[in-house]
Amino acid sequence: MHMHKLEKIWLIVGVSCLVLFLTTIGVSAFYLGNKPPSCLTTVDPDKVDQQKPFDKPGLHKVEGKDWDYELVYVAQAFSYNPAQVKVPLGAKVKVIATTKDVIHGFEVAGTNINMMLEPGYVSEYTTTFNKAGEYLVVCNEYCGSGHHLMFSKIEVVKQ
Ligand code: CUA
């Protein structure tokens, strides 16, 4: 069989790329242990209520961290705990959330906060609430019959 020199080169390049590609996928899947890359912290989804910080949902003042408060949420079909929270205006807040059952969304309307909550994983987002007012937390992942009823409220108040 006669093959063009150029054709041969391209065949080698093609096969090499494929091998490199498969190796990369295999190696990275191995190293990450098949976790979604954005959620590296895990939690036992069956014992969410017993594990820190999810044993105490709500707003907590923290010391010695890059943020002033931690706002902990536990989601389940079809609600968030806490259902309502007051946050001081200008506070730097780390939102820490997980779900007890299926995948839920965590979108705070009018802000950049938009997370997916997956069972077994902890989703985090640090932000500063610079505008007073009421913010609606909504679920943007379809999670069942009560999906559209699933919401929570963040009230940013001047202190
Ligand atoms: Cu929870 Cu949709």
Side-chain angles (χ1 to χ4, degrees):
M1 190 177 79
H2 176 257
M3 235 186 191
H4 242 271
K5 199 176 174 190
L6 211 59
E7 235 172 272
K8 226 184 227 169
I9 290 171
W10 279 114
L11 187 69
I12 292 167
V13 169
V15 170
S16 312
C17 281
L18 187 67
V19 169
L20 188 70
F21 177 68
L22 291 174
T23 310
T24 310
I25 288 183
V27 168
S28 51
F30 176 75
Y31 274 117
L32 295 173
N34 288 318
K35 284 174 200 163
S38 60
C39 321
L40 294 173
T41 317
T42 56
V43 64
D44 183 343
D46 298 325
K47 295 190 185 116
V48 168
D49 294 332
Q50 286 108 284
Q51 288 166 94
K52 274 186 178 158
F54 302 107
D55 54 340
K56 288 187 187 111
L59 189 74
H60 308 288
K61 182 105 179 77
V62 294
E63 304 288 341
K65 294 191 177 170
D66 286 341
W67 46 92
D68 311 312
Y69 291 90
E70 286 176 353
L71 181 48
V72 179
Y73 279 97
V74 176
Q76 68 184 105
F78 301 99
S79 63
Y80 297 97
N81 184 9
Q84 186 162 9
V85 75
K86 272 190 181 139
V87 175
L89 179 66
K92 193 169 180 189
V93 176
K94 183 175 195 174
V95 178
I96 306 170
T98 193
T99 163
K100 284 165 81 167
D101 41 41
V102 297
I103 291 179
H104 295 285
F106 189 98
E107 182 180 353
V108 186
T111 73
N112 289 333
I113 307 173
N114 188 357
M115 304 191 287
M116 193 197 266
L117 311 183
E118 293 171 74
Y121 294 98
V122 179
S123 301
E124 300 177 334
Y125 192 90
T126 307
T127 189
T128 304
F129 289 96
N130 279 325
K131 237 181 97 188
E134 259 187 21
Y135 294 83
L136 205 58
V137 180
V138 292
C139 181
N140 56 8
E141 295 286 338
Y142 184 75
C143 53
S145 59
H147 163 71
H148 61 287
L149 301 170
M150 194 166 163
F151 68 93
S152 175
K153 233 190 267 177
I154 297 175
E155 212 181 319
V156 178
V157 289
K158 213 170 165 180
Q159 286 200 327

